[in-house]
Amino acid sequence: MAARKMLENPISKKIGESVLPRPCPVPASSAEAVSIPEQKHKNGGPKPAQKILELKDMPGPWPSIPFIGTSWQYFRGARYHNMNMYKCNEDKYRRYGPAVKEEFQWGKPVVQLFDPEDFEKVFCKQSSHPIRQIMEFVVHYRRNRPEKYDSPGLANALNEEWFRLRNIITPVLSKPRAIKFLTSRMDSVADDFSELLRKGRNPDTLVIDNIQDLAYRMALEGVYMMSLDARLGCLDPNLQENSAASDMILSVKLLFEAFHELFYGLPLWKWYETESYKKLVKAESLMYEATSRQIQEVIEKLRKDPDDDEEGILRTLIKKNELTDQQLIVSVIDLLSGGIFTVANAFSFLVYHIATNPDVQEKLYAELTSVMADSEVTNERLDQLRYLKACVKEAFRLSPTIPCVNRILTQDMVLSGYKVPAGTDVFCNFNVAC
């Protein structure tokens, strides 16, 4: 019951991933199936005939209206208004098949893919500099504030700039010594989160209401610790308003709301500051102030003690001396904004799947009690928790944290029997294909 509660929180519903996906999509009914001959796709959807068709022949919602394309289907009162992303995509798969064409701003075609074989084709044909959609509104905001930012950040960079930043940042994040360095620090975060859950339980039913909100606070505290090697205080049971932690929680919520509204709305922010764009400005400002202050403190400490041998992510990036202070700040902001919802959702899905599989729960409990003689978490003990790792991987498979990956094709490709030209946006939807 507690697991179900945490998936009904208002914030989770906005994310669009709170409804748990089934192991595979439901086959299209005869009434919904696309009228293309004989062959059926192995996952249940219709498959086009062997003849290669053009993009204009690809099924999808209709009509396409000037300026807004088919985005009307997300407007108030329309088919997908307020529907979460998984249900939207599952419905498209059932209605139209493994490849669906939509049109958004100015009638630009976007292809939704649901066949793993198409995913493989897309990823195999990408170059060392994959091209994908960036958040133009974030780039616009940062490019217009050169006193704060000299880069749009790894998440929104392209081509050589993206490649350079990735080669600097990714090895530091995946460095085994850095991960081991964080174990004891993350253990303290986990202890505080456990205590927060205990205090948040209903004493009679032991049900935790709004556990999803608590998961976000845990994720923010953990990602902040990982990125800046400092505690923020999000897990304090008596969290005070106007504290650094509450300001950061507010900025994260504002940032997510702004991303959602700006990504799916009309790009009026290009001409004037809309209410959604103002949310982005406030959120970025709050996060910039918090991260820049912490980064400057660490830089000052390293200047006083250049022989500091701690292996934290921020310290390592500063010591490498390959990023400017501005690039360090934007990198941390991107780590925070990108990590919080993914970590919280991954945790929620994992807990749900364990709770709904009692035999798995019992086997996992037996492993934990066998390995963990006391509450201390060490790297050696983590290495022995093989079944726990298997549970995490299976939860990722059943409920992907990221519902899709976007690419812009650099060459013409045949996907599900349709010729899709270079320059077309395609989305590989894992959570429906599974």
Short mmCIF file of all heavy atoms in Angstrom, two decimals, residues 187-212:
data_model
loop_
_atom_site.label_atom_id
_atom_site.label_comp_id
_atom_site.label_asym_id
_atom_site.label_seq_id
_atom_site.Cartn_x
_atom_site.Cartn_y
_atom_site.Cartn_z
N ASP A 187 26.38 6.70 3.03
CA ASP A 187 25.82 5.91 4.12
C ASP A 187 25.15 6.83 5.13
O ASP A 187 24.07 6.52 5.65
CB ASP A 187 26.94 5.10 4.79
CG ASP A 187 26.40 4.11 5.80
OD1 ASP A 187 25.22 3.73 5.69
OD2 ASP A 187 27.17 3.71 6.70
N SER A 188 25.76 7.97 5.40
CA SER A 188 25.15 8.91 6.35
C SER A 188 23.86 9.50 5.79
O SER A 188 22.89 9.72 6.53
CB SER A 188 26.14 10.04 6.69
OG SER A 188 26.35 10.90 5.59
N VAL A 189 23.82 9.72 4.46
CA VAL A 189 22.59 10.19 3.81
C VAL A 189 21.49 9.13 3.94
O VAL A 189 20.34 9.44 4.28
CB VAL A 189 22.84 10.51 2.32
CG1 VAL A 189 21.53 10.83 1.60
CG2 VAL A 189 23.80 11.69 2.18
N ALA A 190 21.86 7.87 3.72
CA ALA A 190 20.89 6.77 3.81
C ALA A 190 20.36 6.63 5.24
O ALA A 190 19.16 6.38 5.45
CB ALA A 190 21.53 5.47 3.35
N ASP A 191 21.24 6.79 6.23
CA ASP A 191 20.80 6.69 7.63
C ASP A 191 19.78 7.79 7.95
O ASP A 191 18.75 7.53 8.59
CB ASP A 191 22.00 6.81 8.58
CG ASP A 191 22.87 5.57 8.59
OD1 ASP A 191 22.38 4.50 8.16
OD2 ASP A 191 24.03 5.65 9.03
N ASP A 192 20.06 9.00 7.51
CA ASP A 192 19.13 10.12 7.76
C ASP A 192 17.81 9.91 7.03
O ASP A 192 16.74 10.25 7.56
CB ASP A 192 19.77 11.44 7.33
CG ASP A 192 20.91 11.86 8.24
OD1 ASP A 192 21.06 11.26 9.32
OD2 ASP A 192 21.66 12.79 7.86
N PHE A 193 17.87 9.34 5.84
CA PHE A 193 16.65 9.08 5.08
C PHE A 193 15.81 8.02 5.78
O PHE A 193 14.58 8.15 5.89
CB PHE A 193 17.01 8.64 3.66
CG PHE A 193 15.81 8.35 2.79
CD1 PHE A 193 14.80 9.29 2.60
CD2 PHE A 193 15.68 7.12 2.14
CE1 PHE A 193 13.71 9.03 1.81
CE2 PHE A 193 14.59 6.85 1.34
CZ PHE A 193 13.60 7.81 1.17
N SER A 194 16.46 6.98 6.29
CA SER A 194 15.75 5.92 7.02
C SER A 194 15.04 6.50 8.24
O SER A 194 13.89 6.15 8.54
CB SER A 194 16.72 4.81 7.45
OG SER A 194 17.31 4.21 6.32
N GLU A 195 15.74 7.39 8.95
CA GLU A 195 15.14 8.01 10.13
C GLU A 195 13.96 8.90 9.75
O GLU A 195 12.93 8.93 10.44
CB GLU A 195 16.20 8.83 10.86
CG GLU A 195 15.75 9.40 12.20
CD GLU A 195 15.34 8.32 13.19
OE1 GLU A 195 15.88 7.19 13.12
OE2 GLU A 195 14.47 8.62 14.04
N LEU A 196 14.09 9.60 8.63
CA LEU A 196 12.99 10.45 8.15
C LEU A 196 11.77 9.60 7.80
O LEU A 196 10.63 9.98 8.08
CB LEU A 196 13.45 11.25 6.92
CG LEU A 196 12.48 12.30 6.37
CD1 LEU A 196 12.24 13.41 7.40
CD2 LEU A 196 13.02 12.90 5.08
N LEU A 197 12.00 8.42 7.19
CA LEU A 197 10.90 7.52 6.86
C LEU A 197 10.22 6.99 8.13
O LEU A 197 8.99 6.91 8.19
CB LEU A 197 11.41 6.35 6.02
CG LEU A 197 11.88 6.66 4.60
CD1 LEU A 197 12.41 5.39 3.94
CD2 LEU A 197 10.77 7.27 3.76
N ARG A 198 11.02 6.66 9.12
CA ARG A 198 10.44 6.15 10.38
C ARG A 198 9.54 7.21 11.01
O ARG A 198 8.44 6.91 11.50
CB ARG A 198 11.55 5.77 11.36
CG ARG A 198 12.31 4.51 10.98
CD ARG A 198 13.23 4.05 12.10
NE ARG A 198 14.11 2.98 11.63
CZ ARG A 198 15.35 3.18 11.22
NH1 ARG A 198 15.87 4.40 11.20
NH2 ARG A 198 16.08 2.16 10.80
N LYS A 199 9.99 8.43 11.01
CA LYS A 199 9.21 9.51 11.63
C LYS A 199 8.00 9.88 10.79
O LYS A 199 7.04 10.46 11.31
CB LYS A 199 10.10 10.73 11.85
CG LYS A 199 11.15 10.52 12.92
CD LYS A 199 11.94 11.79 13.21
CE LYS A 199 12.92 11.55 14.36
NZ LYS A 199 13.69 12.77 14.69
N GLY A 200 8.05 9.56 9.50
CA GLY A 200 6.95 9.91 8.62
C GLY A 200 5.86 8.86 8.54
O GLY A 200 4.83 9.06 7.89
N ARG A 201 6.06 7.71 9.22
CA ARG A 201 5.07 6.63 9.16
C ARG A 201 3.84 6.94 10.01
O ARG A 201 3.94 7.57 11.06
CB ARG A 201 5.68 5.32 9.66
CG ARG A 201 6.71 4.72 8.75
CD ARG A 201 7.14 3.36 9.23
NE ARG A 201 7.68 3.37 10.59
CZ ARG A 201 8.28 2.34 11.17
NH1 ARG A 201 8.39 1.20 10.51
NH2 ARG A 201 8.75 2.42 12.40
N ASN A 202 2.71 6.46 9.53
CA ASN A 202 1.51 6.48 10.36
C ASN A 202 1.69 5.44 11.46
O ASN A 202 1.95 4.28 11.18
CB ASN A 202 0.29 6.14 9.50
CG ASN A 202 -1.01 6.20 10.28
OD1 ASN A 202 -1.16 5.56 11.32
ND2 ASN A 202 -1.97 6.95 9.77
N PRO A 203 1.59 5.83 12.73
CA PRO A 203 1.88 4.87 13.82
C PRO A 203 0.93 3.68 13.86
O PRO A 203 1.29 2.63 14.40
CB PRO A 203 1.74 5.73 15.09
CG PRO A 203 0.92 6.91 14.68
CD PRO A 203 1.23 7.16 13.24
N ASP A 204 -0.24 3.82 13.29
CA ASP A 204 -1.22 2.73 13.32
C ASP A 204 -1.09 1.80 12.12
O ASP A 204 -1.10 0.57 12.26
CB ASP A 204 -2.64 3.30 13.38
CG ASP A 204 -2.87 4.13 14.63
OD1 ASP A 204 -2.37 3.73 15.69
OD2 ASP A 204 -3.52 5.20 14.53
N THR A 205 -0.94 2.38 10.92
CA THR A 205 -0.91 1.57 9.69
C THR A 205 0.50 1.35 9.16
O THR A 205 0.72 0.49 8.31
CB THR A 205 -1.74 2.24 8.60
OG1 THR A 205 -1.12 3.50 8.26
CG2 THR A 205 -3.16 2.49 9.06
N LEU A 206 1.46 2.16 9.65
CA LEU A 206 2.86 2.15 9.16
C LEU A 206 2.97 2.59 7.70
O LEU A 206 4.00 2.39 7.06
CB LEU A 206 3.49 0.76 9.34
CG LEU A 206 3.56 0.24 10.78
CD1 LEU A 206 4.28 -1.11 10.81
CD2 LEU A 206 4.26 1.23 11.69
N VAL A 207 1.89 3.16 7.17
CA VAL A 207 1.92 3.69 5.80
C VAL A 207 2.58 5.05 5.79
O VAL A 207 2.36 5.87 6.70
CB VAL A 207 0.49 3.79 5.23
CG1 VAL A 207 0.48 4.54 3.89
CG2 VAL A 207 -0.10 2.40 5.04
N ILE A 208 3.40 5.29 4.79
CA ILE A 208 4.07 6.58 4.64
C ILE A 208 3.38 7.35 3.52
O ILE A 208 3.46 6.97 2.35
CB ILE A 208 5.56 6.41 4.32
CG1 ILE A 208 6.26 5.59 5.40
CG2 ILE A 208 6.25 7.76 4.15
CD1 ILE A 208 7.68 5.19 5.07
N ASP A 209 2.70 8.42 3.86
CA ASP A 209 2.08 9.27 2.84
C ASP A 209 3.15 10.15 2.21
O ASP A 209 4.12 10.54 2.85
CB ASP A 209 1.00 10.16 3.47
CG ASP A 209 -0.20 9.33 3.94
OD1 ASP A 209 -0.59 8.40 3.21
OD2 ASP A 209 -0.71 9.60 5.04
N ASN A 210 2.96 10.46 0.94
CA ASN A 210 3.87 11.36 0.21
C ASN A 210 5.32 10.88 0.24
O ASN A 210 6.25 11.68 0.36
CB ASN A 210 3.80 12.78 0.78
CG ASN A 210 2.43 13.40 0.63
OD1 ASN A 210 1.75 13.17 -0.37
ND2 ASN A 210 2.01 14.18 1.61
N ILE A 211 5.50 9.57 0.14
CA ILE A 211 6.88 9.06 0.17
C ILE A 211 7.67 9.55 -1.03
O ILE A 211 8.89 9.67 -0.98
CB ILE A 211 6.90 7.51 0.24
CG1 ILE A 211 8.31 7.03 0.60
CG2 ILE A 211 6.41 6.89 -1.05
CD1 ILE A 211 8.41 5.55 0.85
N GLN A 212 6.96 9.88 -2.13
CA GLN A 212 7.67 10.37 -3.31
C GLN A 212 8.36 11.70 -3.02
O GLN A 212 9.49 11.92 -3.44
CB GLN A 212 6.70 10.52 -4.48
CG GLN A 212 7.36 10.77 -5.83
CD GLN A 212 7.94 9.53 -6.45
OE1 GLN A 212 7.79 8.43 -5.91
NE2 GLN A 212 8.60 9.67 -7.57
#
